[in-house]
């Protein structure tokens, strides 16, 4: 079960972008930079039947650049597209002017995340360089036309299968595979609660890191990161690193510590679940107590909409007689947070100056009363409950609270 926005973001980060075009260019002794082959035809060089998507003349000096840029990954952006290539300069006295320059360029949408293609572009350039230096594959008139077939298959296979295998001759084959890339996970904090999105125990084997195994065994959707570290007898920093690793691969998601003193409110995004019957069905099965019949989704939707600023979860339960509805309140709240239509309203204590310096509260606690640390963070650091913190702060009448 994934947050709508997060799920979309994760998949977009993991799926390689679609290739718009591939074109092969060389340096022509008479014409300068020149496109020899392009797929699809007319995408780079205009024909009578089509207009090119890129003005090649405006970018040609970066496609076939000065020698200093050769041997490096080069990306150029136009108004709508991004072109990535790896220009190659082969110096040898067998060529006219003692050099041969070429580039196989890949075209994507301008905003595409092309990081997964970088090793592919480098590898293709490396293979073509090897073929040229060994067999004059690119410069020989008898074999250079094969390049059209190669780039045609590259475009089709990489877009369709994210991999390709192209035999060149009896000794050489181009083998490419696109691997998904993911954005770095957000930092993990001690007060966050991990919830598994996969069965970690089923994935676990003898090759897993010992610390990771110890951590994974105690992820139950209830304990926060610091508590898990203490139960597993693991260093707090290592526990956070393990969580970041699991977060990176989408094995867990992070939510807040569940307490009946928490305050929650709905986002406008809640309206989209009205039309999504799959989510409605998932909600009913996720929030019901085992062996019971849950209320209708209309009732659940009404309950979600009744969550608001200024009302704690305890008050909400009492006002709506939730305990009689056969729903697991923890899972009810978790579902809304995970799906992204419910958010936590945090409580931030502030002790203004000069009262902060004059207060009899412990100095460690006073440093946290600056409006930048919410109750979950402070309670986790101090090892106390929200109720206990309320009692401690009640001794200082100048403490104010911000809810956001």
């Amino acid at each position: 079960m994934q947050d709508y926005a997060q799920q979309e973001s994760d998949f977009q980060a993991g799926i390689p972008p679609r290739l718009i075009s591939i074109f092969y260019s060389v340096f022509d002794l008479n014409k300068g930079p020149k496109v020899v082959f392009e797929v699809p035809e007319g995408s780079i060089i205009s024909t009578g039947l089509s207009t090119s998507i890129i003005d090649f003349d405006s970018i040609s000096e970066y496609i076939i650049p000065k020698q200093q840029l050769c041997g490096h990954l080069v990306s150029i952006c136009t108004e709508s597209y991004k072109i990535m290539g790896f220009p190659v300069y082969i110096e040898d006295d067998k060529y006219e002017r003692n050099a041969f320059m070429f580039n196989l360029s890949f075209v994507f949408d301008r905003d595409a995340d092309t990081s997964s293609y970088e090793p592919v572009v480098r590898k293709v350039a490396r293979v073509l360089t090897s073929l040229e230096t060994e067999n004059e594959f690119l410069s020989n008139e008898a074999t250079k036309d094969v390049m059209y077939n190669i780039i045609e298959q590259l475009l089709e296979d990489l877009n369709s299968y994210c991999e390709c295998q192209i035999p060149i001759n009896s000794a050489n084959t181009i083998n490419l595979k696109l691997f998904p890339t993911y954005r770095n996970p957000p930092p993990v904090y001690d007060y966050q609660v991990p919830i598994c999105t996969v069965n970690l125990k089923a994935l676990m084997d003898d090759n897993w890191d010992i610390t990771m195994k110890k951590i994974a065994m105690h992820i139950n959707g209830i304990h926060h990161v610091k508590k898990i570290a203490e139960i597993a007898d693991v260093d707090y920093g290592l526990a956070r690193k393990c969580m970041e690793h699991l977060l990176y691969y989408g094995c867990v998601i992070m939510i807040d510590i569940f307490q009946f003193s928490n305050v929650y409110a709905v986002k406008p995004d809640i309206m989209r679940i009205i039309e999504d019957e799959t989510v409605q069905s998932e909600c009913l099965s996720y929030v019901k107590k085992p062996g019971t019949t849950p209320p209708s989704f209309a009732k659940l939707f009404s309950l979600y909409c009744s969550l608001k600023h200024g009302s704690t979860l305890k008050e909400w339960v009492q006002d709506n007689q939730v305990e009689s509805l056969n729903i697991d309140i923890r899972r009810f709240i978790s579902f809304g947070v995970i799906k992204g239509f419910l958010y936590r309203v945090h409580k931030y204590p502030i002790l203004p100056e000069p009262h902060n310096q004059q207060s009899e509260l412990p100095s460690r606690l006073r440093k946290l009363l600056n409006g930048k640390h919410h109750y979950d963070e402070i309670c986790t650091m101090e090892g106390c409950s929200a109720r206990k913190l309320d009692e401690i702060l009640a001794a200082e009448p100048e403490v104010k609270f911000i809810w956001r």
Side-chain angles (χ1 to χ4, degrees), residues 152-164:
E152 188 175 43
Q153 189 172 343
L154 277 174
L155 183 72
E156 177 64 28
D157 289 359
L158 290 177
N159 273 340
S160 300
Y161 312 112
C162 293
E163 61 181 329
C164 68

Side-chain angles (χ1 to χ4, degrees), residues 189-196 215-232 243 253-258 330 380:
Y189 299 103
D190 288 342
Y191 54 82
Q192 291 179 309
V193 176
I195 293 182
C196 293
I215 289 294
M217 292 296 292
H218 300 288
I219 298 176
N220 60 1
I222 298 173
H223 298 320
H224 53 71
V225 174
K226 185 177 181 181
K227 181 70 172 178
I228 292 172
E230 291 171 349
I231 296 173
M243 293 301 175
I253 53 179
M254 294 294 178
I255 64 170
D256 301 304
I257 298 171
F258 178 84
R330 181 193 298 274
T380 304

Side-chain angles (χ1 to χ4, degrees), residues 2-10 269 272 338-340:
Q2 292 263 7
D3 175 330
Y4 275 108
Q6 184 63 41
Q7 184 183 49
E8 182 178 350
S9 174
D10 286 348
D269 291 347
R272 64 187 170 187
I338 292 168
K339 289 298 183 182

Side-chain angles (χ1 to χ4, degrees), residues 340-358:
F341 60 78
L342 199 65
Y343 70 96
R344 169 81 178 280
V345 183
H346 282 284
K347 184 179 181 181
Y348 292 80
I350 298 177
L351 182 57
E353 298 289 354
H355 304 293
N356 195 301
Q357 300 300 323
Q358 300 169 358

Side-chain angles (χ1 to χ4, degrees), residues 13-27:
I15 293 178
R18 185 167 184 80
L19 269 168
I20 307 297
S21 172
I22 301 178
F23 63 97
Y24 168 67
S25 312
V26 299
F27 182 81

Side-chain angles (χ1 to χ4, degrees), residues 258 260 262-267 270 300-317 320 322 329 332-334 336-337 341-345:
F258 178 84
F260 282 97
N262 291 356
V263 175
Y264 294 92
V266 293
K267 299 178 181 178
I270 193 172
L300 295 181
F301 184 81
S302 174
L303 289 173
Y304 276 123
C305 291
S306 64
L307 290 162
K308 59 183 182 297
H309 281 266
S311 178
T312 66
L313 200 54
K314 181 180 179 180
E315 294 167 342
W316 171 82
V317 170
N320 294 277
V322 177
I329 300 172
F332 177 86
I333 295 298
S334 296
V337 172
F341 60 78
L342 199 65
Y343 70 96
R344 169 81 178 280
V345 183

